[in-house]
Amino acid sequence: MKASSIFRSAILAGICIGIAGFGYLAVGGIFGAVVFACGLLAVVSYKLKLFTGTAGFIGKDEVGQLLLVLLGNIVGCLAVALLARLSAMPLQETAEKILTARLNLGAWKAGLLAIGCGFLMTTAVTFARKDKWLPLLFCVPMFIICGFPHCVADIFYYLTCSLGFWGEHLWGILILYVCIVIGNFIGCNLYRWIISDEARID
C-alpha cells in the first residue's frame, strides 16, 4: 500500500476506535466494555490499519509504516474527540477520570499493563482474520475490564479531556503515552517472539 492509502486507512481506524470509545464513555462498566468491541469489529471487517492490529504482523523494515499508522489513528481519534466535546453527556469528565487514574498509576506501570492489551489484540485479530470472531468479542472487553491501556483508545480519551487538564499534566501525559505505545508493541509481538515458526498453531 502507498503511504497515502495507509494513512487514510489509519484515520478511518482511529475514527472506528474513537466512536467505540465514545460509547464506552457514555455507558461505562462491563456493558460499555462489550460495546467497545464494535470498534475492532469494524476495523477488522473493513481491513483498516490500526496500530494494535498491525504491530504484531509487520516486518522489521516496516516500523516507519507502523508510526504512520499510529499518526493516522491519532488524527481519526481527534476528529471523534471534537464531536465528544459537543455531547450533552459528561464525556469529558469521564475521560479526565480515566486519564487521572493512568497518571496516578505511573508511566512504567501503565506501560507494563499495556503489554497485556497488545497480546489480547493480536490474539483477537489473528482469529478474526480466519473468520473466527468469538475471541475478539472476549478479548476487547477483557483488556478494558483488566485496565490494560490501549494506545489508540487512550488517545481518544486524552484528546477528549479539556485543554486546561492537558496544560496541567502535559509532560506526564506525553511520557505516559510513549510507555503505553511501547507496551502495546511488546504485547502485540510476544507470540511470535516467544514461539518459533515451527511450533506455531495455524
Side-chain angles (χ1 to χ4, degrees), residues 47-132:
K47 298 181 180 179
L48 302 176
K49 292 291 186 179
L50 181 69
F51 181 88
T52 51
T54 305
F57 304 95
I58 62 167
K60 293 180 180 179
D61 58 340
E62 296 176 309
V63 175
Q65 179 187 125
L66 187 60
L67 295 176
L68 182 63
V69 168
L70 181 59
L71 179 59
N73 292 164
I74 291 172
V75 171
C77 284
L78 175 60
V80 183
L82 294 175
L83 290 179
R85 292 169 179 268
L86 302 178
S87 175
M89 294 181 286
L91 304 182
Q92 193 169 87
E93 292 84 349
T94 305
E96 289 180 2
K97 288 180 181 178
I98 293 173
L99 182 48
T100 298
R102 296 276 197 261
L103 290 169
N104 289 339
L105 179 64
W108 73 272
K109 289 182 180 179
L112 289 174
L113 288 173
I115 294 173
C117 176
F119 183 80
L120 288 170
M121 289 302 92
T122 294
T123 301
V125 172
T126 296
F127 280 93
R129 287 182 174 185
K130 300 175 182 179
D131 290 325
K132 298 176 181 179

Side-chain angles (χ1 to χ4, degrees), residues 23-40:
Y24 177 71
L25 291 180
V27 179
I30 294 178
F31 182 68
V34 173
V35 166
F36 191 96
C38 74
L40 192 60

Side-chain angles (χ1 to χ4, degrees), residues 111-164:
L112 289 174
L113 288 173
I115 294 173
C117 176
F119 183 80
L120 288 170
M121 289 302 92
T122 294
T123 301
V125 172
T126 296
F127 280 93
R129 287 182 174 185
K130 300 175 182 179
D131 290 325
K132 298 176 181 179
W133 298 93
L134 196 58
L136 186 154
L137 296 176
F138 281 99
C139 286
V140 173
M142 177 67 76
F143 87 73
I144 296 176
I145 293 170
C146 291
F148 296 156
H150 183 290
C151 64
V152 182
D154 272 34
I155 200 62
F156 166 72
Y157 302 143
Y158 301 173
L159 293 171
T160 302
C161 295
S162 67
L163 293 177

